[in-house]
Amino acid sequence: MKKKMLAVLLTAAMMASLASGCGKSAQETAEPAASSAAAESTAPAASGDEETTAGETDQITFPLAETKNFSMLCVINGDTPMDEVDAFQYLNEQSNITFEVNSVPSEDAAEKEGLILSAGDYPDVFIFSSLSKNDIDKYGAEGVFVPLEDYIRTYAPTLTSLLDERELWPYITAPDGHVYEIPALNTGAELEAGFHIWLNYQWLDNLGLSEPKNLDEFHDVLTAFKEQDANGNGDPGDEIPLSVPDGMSYLKNYLPYFGYNLDSETWCANQDGNLVYIPIDEGYKEFLRYFTNLYNEGLLDPASFTQNYDQIAAMGSSGDVLGCFSALASFQFAGRDQDEEYQTLTPFEGQVYPQSTGIMHGSMMITDACEDPATLVAWADQLFTQEGGMLYWLGVEGNSYVNNDDGTWSWNVGGPIGDDIATVREKGTLKYQTAFPGIQPDYWFTGITDPDESYLITQRSKMLDYGKVTLPAMTYSAEETETIASLKADLDSYINQYGAQVITGALDLDESWDNYVSTMNTMGASELFEIYKNAFNAAEGK
């Protein structure tokens, strides 16, 4: 995008009291227009100077007549600080906005954000935060984050339309009725839950095997991978039938194949209209038994509980050795040269697969330190148009990507941003490892030429046929939110610890199960589940 993408964002009337009252709620400082108010918006365009009109009102005009400066805390985009990302620089040049950005590494984000919030010396806006929905609601109720529902309806007409059309307001609304965040919104194939079971279908072909239709057949396939030189290199001992990094944190992704439509955040599932807390359910015991048997038979890599993400990725991309793994994309662990050997494992008969609402929480929260939230909300709304989504996901035309003559687009590898796709995406786009406020554009799906991403889209789309949103929009009181955070920290750690000990043989499953369940309840599992169940029943209207 060497052309100027954007001239103007027009929205509903900006009220002077709203611009000066950022430490209070929108209701206290002004009465913005209702959601039906006309608004006019032009987002950053993919190319050219197109304008999209939604109505006639007073204006917030981008670029602003005078430069405005804000402070931002943002999780780093891979290894690139956000203020060095090409699309971020471009967006702000077109908006006449500057940001003082504090980019923090993802591994340090939770600790640093907690310290900053505790100290009270926080920036105007948090972007791509590590904070969960419960955290956001908690700090919002405490007055740290500004209620945004009226700002969104007044100054973000594009986002408002999307939230209305997709009925997503309940998923971003806090128990007190306020909205304290502007989310990122995924679409299309990205609506599925993300982590999949990737099975080496080339190995199936090599051995004349069919796709497994149940857990017994899956076991038989893994056994064949181990014993029959599945990769065909003459060495029957170099295949690893199944491997994961970080133990239980990845093994839990196999739970849908045991009949649980897993919600990873809560460890809960909706089973025929009833909520189940999986870690103490009898079915989870059989899940552990299954993987214990795989481990004992040498089908589950013994390194699964000691290796990290980078180690399995290095191993998988260095040769044709992995039979099955869980990942967001097959090329993450198998490498881009081998990724199409893998397909997502089809859910077994009668099973569904976790599907998300498309919302990514923590993308943008405005604090009471901000003196002009209206401008920030209007600034973010630019990224919810199709053109703005292209800037978000693809970057600047001519820099990170190029449009082709046939209606497709390609990463501009070797251009001004970088010499490989990963570098181009990290340094050129807002969407690398970040969750910026904005939407995934249709052009990402319809015009993509990257063969690995195109293949991933095909595989994810297949899973949508089995997709079902895991849980309704469940909300909690401030006290419940604190209780959940406190209990989950210890319970989740114990769940992972116990699972690893059972599978690796340090504990006998049958001998230890009752004590495990009792310990879980002593640690607060029953109390936690009661909170979840009440929220679930309320959301379901029970």
Side-chain angles (χ1 to χ4, degrees):
M1 282 180 212
K2 292 183 179 177
K3 299 178 182 179
K4 184 175 181 180
M5 287 197 317
L6 166 71
V8 178
L9 174 74
L10 299 178
T11 66
M14 175 187 268
M15 300 181 180
S17 60
L18 199 60
S20 62
C22 303
K24 301 179 180 179
S25 71
Q27 292 95 324
E28 292 172 325
T29 56
E31 294 293 334
S35 60
S36 60
E40 184 174 54
S41 173
T42 302
S47 61
D49 296 317
E50 297 89 352
E51 293 187 1
T52 303
T53 300
E56 297 295 335
T57 65
D58 292 339
Q59 303 176 7
I60 293 179
T61 303
F62 290 100
L64 300 174
E66 296 182 1
T67 303
K68 288 192 175 182
N69 182 64
F70 298 91
S71 57
M72 172 190 294
L73 184 73
C74 183
V75 173
I76 199 168
N77 197 27
D79 293 323
T80 303
M82 183 53 66
D83 51 357
E84 297 178 13
V85 172
D86 186 56
F88 184 73
Q89 295 175 343
Y90 187 89
L91 172 65
N92 297 329
E93 288 171 2
Q94 300 303 307
S95 303
N96 198 18
I97 287 177
T98 60
F99 285 95
E100 299 171 10
V101 182
N102 179 7
S103 290
V104 298
S106 58
E107 59 269 20
D108 299 331
E111 179 182 0
K112 290 191 175 182
E113 288 173 344
L115 291 173
I116 289 171
L117 288 166
S118 297
D121 185 20
Y122 36 77
D124 294 317
V125 61
F126 283 68
I127 296 286
F128 184 41
S129 168
S130 69
L131 298 175
S132 69
K133 171 68 162 55
N134 290 343
D135 294 329
I136 295 166
D137 293 346
K138 170 181 176 291
Y139 286 111
E142 293 174 356
V144 174
F145 296 138
V146 176
L148 296 177
E149 62 274 9
D150 292 336
Y151 287 108
I152 291 171
R153 288 200 176 276
T154 304
Y155 300 105
T158 310
L159 173 58
T160 297
S161 294
L162 290 168
L163 294 174
D164 288 344
E165 291 167 8
R166 292 169 57 175
E167 300 181 342
L168 294 177
W169 285 100
Y171 290 93
I172 61 172
T173 300
D176 62 8
H178 291 303
V179 172
Y180 295 108
E181 62 175 324
I182 294 180
L185 295 180
N186 286 335
T187 56
E190 296 292 335
L191 285 176
E192 47 67 52
F195 280 91
H196 296 300
I197 308 307
W198 295 91
L199 187 65
N200 194 323
Y201 278 62
Q202 182 61 56
W203 286 10
L204 290 180
D205 290 343
N206 292 348
L207 300 177
L209 300 174
S210 301
E211 179 184 58
K213 302 298 184 183
N214 53 53
L215 288 170
D216 288 339
E217 291 184 9
F218 183 56
H219 171 271
D220 293 343
V221 163
L222 296 179
T223 301
F225 284 176
K226 179 178 184 291
E227 297 177 349
Q228 299 181 27
D229 188 24
N231 60 19
N233 68 351
D235 180 1
D238 66 344
E239 290 87 356
I240 302 173
L242 190 153
S243 190
V244 299
D246 303 321
M248 296 304 298
S249 62
Y250 273 72
L251 275 181
K252 70 189 294 187
N253 296 318
Y254 289 79
L255 280 165
Y257 297 88
F258 288 77
Y260 292 110
N261 194 24
L262 169 71
D263 176 73
S264 293
E265 174 66 22
T266 63
W267 273 96
C268 288
N270 180 353
Q271 300 285 77
D272 299 322
N274 296 309
L275 194 68
V276 174
Y277 184 56
I278 299 171
I280 57 176
D281 191 61
E282 281 295 316
Y284 183 71
K285 181 180 180 181
E286 298 312 307
F287 167 83
L288 293 179
R289 190 187 308 280
Y290 187 87
F291 282 99
T292 299
N293 291 336
L294 294 187
Y295 185 90
N296 291 337
E297 296 172 26
L299 305 180
L300 173 61
D301 186 1
S304 294
F305 295 92
T306 56
Q307 67 188 348
N308 60 28
Y309 178 101
D310 291 335
Q311 288 170 317
I312 189 174
M315 175 179 63
S317 60
S318 65
D320 186 15
V321 297
L322 294 179
C324 185
F325 54 82
S326 170
L328 291 170
S330 55
F331 59 74
Q332 289 182 315
F333 287 164
R336 288 183 176 268
D337 293 335
Q338 302 177 108
D339 62 324
E340 292 193 16
E341 294 181 3
Y342 297 82
Q343 296 183 34
T344 52
L345 179 61
T346 303
F348 304 144
E349 185 176 357
Q351 293 177 343
V352 298
Y353 203 82
Q355 180 177 317
S356 78
T357 60
I359 289 174
M360 299 186 72
H361 296 290
S363 299
M364 180 176 178
M365 289 77 65
I366 299 174
T367 75
D368 66 351
C370 175
E371 296 183 357
D372 186 5
T375 294
L376 283 180
V377 170
W379 169 82
D381 195 51
Q382 299 174 89
L383 298 175
F384 286 95
T385 66
Q386 289 294 315
E387 296 81 5
M390 289 166 63
L391 177 66
Y392 175 14
W393 278 74
L394 279 68
V396 179
E397 181 189 351
N399 290 355
S400 56
Y401 82 100
V402 292
N403 283 313
N404 304 317
D405 293 336
D406 60 356
T408 63
W409 61 272
S410 303
W411 295 116
N412 193 14
V413 175
I417 304 298
D419 294 328
D420 59 81
I421 291 176
T423 300
V424 170
R425 294 187 67 177
E426 176 184 326
K427 297 183 180 298
T429 77
L430 299 172
K431 180 59 181 176
Y432 179 59
Q433 294 179 0
T434 58
F436 230 76
I439 194 168
Q440 188 174 17
D442 294 341
Y443 195 39
W444 173 266
F445 301 105
T446 62
I448 195 165
T449 56
D450 178 347
D452 302 303
E453 287 287 352
S454 180
Y455 180 70
L456 176 60
I457 290 169
T458 300
Q459 291 298 306
R460 286 183 167 178
S461 297
K462 179 182 81 172
M463 300 303 287
L464 283 177
D465 293 337
Y466 304 89
K468 183 177 181 180
V469 174
T470 55
L471 297 175
M474 293 159 55
T475 59
Y476 315 97
S477 68
E479 181 180 353
E480 288 173 334
T481 297
E482 294 221 2
T483 301
I484 290 171
S486 175
L487 293 177
K488 266 183 60 65
D490 291 335
L491 286 168
D492 287 358
S493 177
Y494 182 52
I495 292 166
N496 291 337
Q497 174 189 325
Y498 177 75
Q501 288 177 320
V502 166
I503 292 172
T504 59
L507 289 174
D508 180 87
L509 176 61
D510 291 317
E511 293 177 359
S512 63
W513 176 257
D514 288 344
N515 182 66
Y516 159 72
V517 173
S518 176
T519 302
M520 285 283 290
N521 286 325
T522 299
M523 294 173 65
S526 55
E527 181 183 0
L528 179 65
F529 179 58
E530 191 67 21
I531 295 173
Y532 289 149
K533 186 170 67 173
N534 289 338
F536 174 82
N537 289 340
E540 293 285 278
K542 294 184 178 181

